[in-house]
Amino acid sequence: MEKKVSKIGVMTSGGDSTGMNAAVRAVVRTSLYHNIEVFGIYRGFSGMIEDDIHPMESRSVANIIQRGGTILKTARSKEFKTPQGRQTAYNNLKKRGINGLVVIGGDGSFKGAQIFSNEFDIPCIGIPGTIDKDIAGSDFTIGFDTAVNTAVQAIDKIRDTADAHDRLFIVEVMGRDAGYIALHSGIATGAENILVPESETDIEDLIQSLTQNEKRKKLVNLIVVAEGEKIGANEIAAVIEKRLPNVDVRVCVLGHIQRGGSPTCLDRLIASRMGYHAVECLLLGKQNVMVGILNNKMNYLPLDKAIKEKEKFNNDWLKIVKILSS
Ligand code: F6P
């Protein structure tokens, strides 16, 4: 017999991604619409262990849809990895009667939710919130679109300087082990080369293409490198400087600027839809699924699959980069 969910806890966990607030708002307001009590769990699993859990009202989530970061704050909890930590967390939920959870975060957060749900038989619904877009079962993750747009704006500005000085810029973007931010921002800014962990960097090939560019007096070059790429931006710059001494090289690491800021319309929209459907899932008795969006339709994928099966990388997109930047 399915247990009816009567009180929901919502948290944001792992790295913040802009749009998380819009998802929290949707979870809170949908719960209240169904007359379900809803609690905000602060600082992710850490707050669950430390009993930082507070009732949310409709007004608690007013004026946040446009804000980056997360009003619930976030953390990466080491203690939650221990059975003792999870037991304490469960006791804190139990004493309030919380019997359903919505976890907004990335694959690390989903792993925690999956283990917790299996140990204590509490249904957990995952909402993909990460700028890295490294989760299967959804065309979008909350924060990715804003991060890419931030990267695009920054790279456009860097191009101005590259152009003024006839320089080569290597711009490193985030993404952990995934190259999606690099791929999307690189294509959108007309980068000459995009280097990602999903495809081995051929340094000889890179030098050759830069040599050809130099010969035909194309001195402005933009290389977008994902942070997870194996060789690394600084090492690549050192090789270029050594092999092509006439090329003026600079490295720019965009870093955490990509994580914050006001979410784009797309991020607000997907966060609102996912938040609404996460609550509907709990009310329908679904357990341990991630709420994604595929081909503009809601898609429900078991959490373990979302964790194990990474989003398929579109190598075909890399092929068109050379043609479009020639
Ligand atoms: O997962 C999001 C992300 O921003 C990655 O792209 C990056 O590798 C990592 O988090 C950085 O983590 P932290 O903010 O803990 O340094």
Side-chain angles (χ1 to χ4, degrees), residues 203-217:
I203 207 88
E204 285 311 316
D205 191 47
L206 181 66
I207 297 288
Q208 209 181 16
S209 78
L210 292 174
T211 310
Q212 270 162 15
N213 288 351
E214 206 183 6
K215 273 191 196 143
R216 61 189 179 99
K217 305 263 180 281

Side-chain angles (χ1 to χ4, degrees), residues 57-299:
E57 297 163 9
S58 185
R59 290 299 96 201
S60 321
V61 290
N63 198 22
I64 64 166
I65 196 167
Q66 78 283 16
R67 282 170 55 191
T70 157
I71 58 157
L72 293 179
K73 300 200 175 278
T74 186
R76 295 189 171 109
S77 170
K78 282 200 185 121
E79 217 187 328
F80 197 75
K81 291 189 176 148
T82 67
Q84 173 73 55
R86 292 194 293 275
Q87 182 65 56
T88 309
Y90 178 67
N91 295 345
N92 289 331
L93 295 188
K94 202 170 172 216
K95 73 182 181 197
R96 290 181 177 82
I98 297 172
N99 50 8
L101 273 186
V102 177
V103 177
I104 306 164
D107 57 351
S109 311
F110 290 173
K111 268 182 213 152
Q114 170 91 5
I115 295 170
F116 188 67
S117 177
N118 291 337
E119 271 176 1
F120 298 104
D121 194 25
I122 180 163
C124 289
I125 305 295
I127 294 182
T130 166
I131 65 166
D132 301 333
K133 205 174 101 69
D134 55 351
I135 289 175
S138 190
D139 289 335
F140 310 104
T141 58
I142 297 169
F144 174 76
D145 187 60
T146 310
V148 167
N149 277 291
T150 301
V152 164
Q153 282 173 17
I155 298 168
D156 282 349
K157 287 175 183 163
I158 290 167
R159 188 183 270 287
D160 288 345
T161 299
D163 187 49
H165 286 266
D166 286 337
R167 273 182 186 161
L168 183 157
F169 266 90
I170 302 179
V171 184
E172 185 193 288
V173 295
M174 275 190 168
R176 204 179 287 278
D177 303 322
Y180 299 101
I181 299 179
L183 182 65
H184 288 235
S185 64
I187 291 177
T189 54
E192 275 68 27
N193 300 85
I194 300 173
L195 309 177
V196 292
E198 291 85 351
S199 164
E200 203 177 322
T201 300
D202 185 336
I203 207 88
E204 285 311 316
D205 191 47
L206 181 66
I207 297 288
Q208 209 181 16
S209 78
L210 292 174
T211 310
Q212 270 162 15
N213 288 351
E214 206 183 6
K215 273 191 196 143
R216 61 189 179 99
K217 305 263 180 281
K218 185 178 190 320
L219 301 171
V220 179
N221 286 283
L222 271 177
I223 303 178
V224 177
V225 187
E227 65 172 338
E229 189 274 339
K230 306 286 176 305
I231 303 174
N234 288 316
E235 179 70 29
I236 294 166
V239 175
I240 296 172
E241 275 171 339
K242 197 163 167 217
R243 299 275 299 273
L244 303 170
N246 294 330
V247 178
D248 194 9
V249 188
R250 294 289 186 280
V251 174
C252 178
V253 178
L254 294 189
H256 286 83
I257 189 177
Q258 295 157 95
R259 282 246 291 266
S262 184
T264 58
C265 175
L266 179 66
D267 275 329
R268 296 179 199 197
L269 206 55
I270 62 165
S272 301
R273 290 173 72 190
M274 288 172 178
Y276 166 82
H277 283 283
V279 175
E280 295 291 324
C281 275
L282 282 174
L283 296 182
L284 288 172
K286 288 193 199 289
Q287 182 145 357
N288 294 352
V289 293
M290 183 197 80
V291 177
I293 297 177
L294 267 187
N295 299 323
N296 209 19
K297 293 203 168 61
M298 301 318 292
N299 182 48

